[in-house]
């Protein structure tokens, strides 16, 4: 039966597909860690109180990258170069979403509008990450090999999403509401297109590795297009709403001391 659980199980059970999956995930997390680290270093004086939280966000992303590399090492595998069409983070940047790497690589302080753009971009992408990790947690949270990693990352992604909600609401109450809603909508509509394109690219690669028959590949492709159609029609709205989270100050303070995942 074709299901999300059976699909992930098939990818998990094959060394080559697992290697590609973890390599793609590690690359995205590492890029996110670098981006947050640079933003924390460049925040303007008006947003200086946010710097430790942004740095904590980046530290979490770096940790996630190390976790995916550790999962590869446990299987005796090395990371592989990821195909450009599967690079979610860089494709978002090419669509003008978030802060450009060129700006982050410079030494000029960011503006308050840049901070809003960063938080709006993060609110949208962390929604996706939280949902995906929730799905993996539901199916593989008790898995002997990947369960601990899945639970750890899922907890962090929920914290990141809560932090984005809380900080954007604070800025909305300070008078930035119209700008926040505009940027959120732009980010959400771009993200669902990029997510569709990356999903198609990843599934094509996985299909080649796992030898999927044409009928199965066609069914998965149709499912990805159907999800995009729903998100384009109405589903994107879940990415732009703002609600005060139950987890308040989710990224306050330094990252908790814990043994490194291995």
């Amino acid at each position: 039966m074709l299901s999300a659980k059976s699909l992930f199980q098939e990818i998990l059970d094959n060394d080559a597909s697992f290697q590609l999956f973890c390599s793609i995930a590690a690359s995205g997390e590492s890029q996110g860690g670098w981006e947050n680290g640079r933003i924390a270093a460049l925040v303007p004086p008006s947003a200086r109180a946010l710097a430790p939280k942004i740095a904590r966000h980046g530290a979490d992303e770096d940790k996630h990258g190390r976790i995916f590399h550790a999962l590869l090492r446990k299987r005796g595998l090395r990371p592989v170069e990821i195909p450009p069409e599967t690079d979610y983070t860089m494709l978002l940047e090419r669509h003008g979403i978030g802060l450009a790497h060129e700006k982050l690589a410079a030494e000029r302080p960011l503006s308050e509008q840049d901070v809003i753009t960063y938080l709006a971009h993060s609110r949208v992408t962390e929604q996706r990450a939280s949902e995906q990790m929730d799905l993996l947690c539901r199916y593989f949270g008790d898995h002997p090999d990947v369960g601990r990693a899945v639970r750890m990352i899922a907890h962090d992604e929920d914290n990141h999403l809560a932090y984005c909600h809380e900080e954007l609401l604070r800025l909305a109450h300070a008078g930035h509401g119209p700008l926040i809603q505009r940027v959120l909508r732009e980010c959400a509509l771009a993200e669902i297109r990029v997510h569709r394109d990356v999903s198609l690219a990843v599934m094509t690669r996985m299909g080649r590795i796992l030898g999927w028959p044409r009928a199965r590949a066609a069914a998965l492709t149709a499912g990805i297009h159907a999800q995009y159609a729903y998100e384009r029609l109405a589903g994107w709205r879940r990415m732009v709403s703002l609600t005060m989270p139950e987890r308040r100050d989710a990224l306050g303070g330094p990252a908790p001391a814990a043994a490194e995942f291995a």
Side-chain angles (χ1 to χ4, degrees), residues 136-192:
L136 287 175
C137 227
R138 196 182 320 155
Y139 296 142
F140 298 105
D142 295 325
H143 191 281
D145 294 326
V146 302
R148 181 176 170 225
V150 166
R151 294 192 307 272
M152 187 182 300
I153 296 172
H155 178 268
D156 289 344
E157 301 297 6
D158 288 345
N159 277 344
H160 301 167
L161 185 58
Y163 147 76
C164 292
H165 274 270
E166 185 172 3
E167 295 302 332
L168 284 169
L169 282 171
R170 180 182 60 79
L171 287 165
H173 292 154
H176 298 288
L179 173 61
I180 289 170
Q181 283 303 314
R182 177 175 63 79
V183 177
L184 279 172
R185 186 177 189 277
E186 291 173 357
C187 286
L189 293 176
E191 192 281 340
I192 63 173

Side-chain angles (χ1 to χ4, degrees), residues 16 27 35 42 110 133 135 141 169 171 187 203 209 213 232:
S27 175
E35 290 172 2
L42 298 174
L110 300 174
M133 293 310 303
L135 186 68
L169 282 171
L171 287 165
C187 286
M203 286 302 101
I209 292 170
R232 185 66 182 84

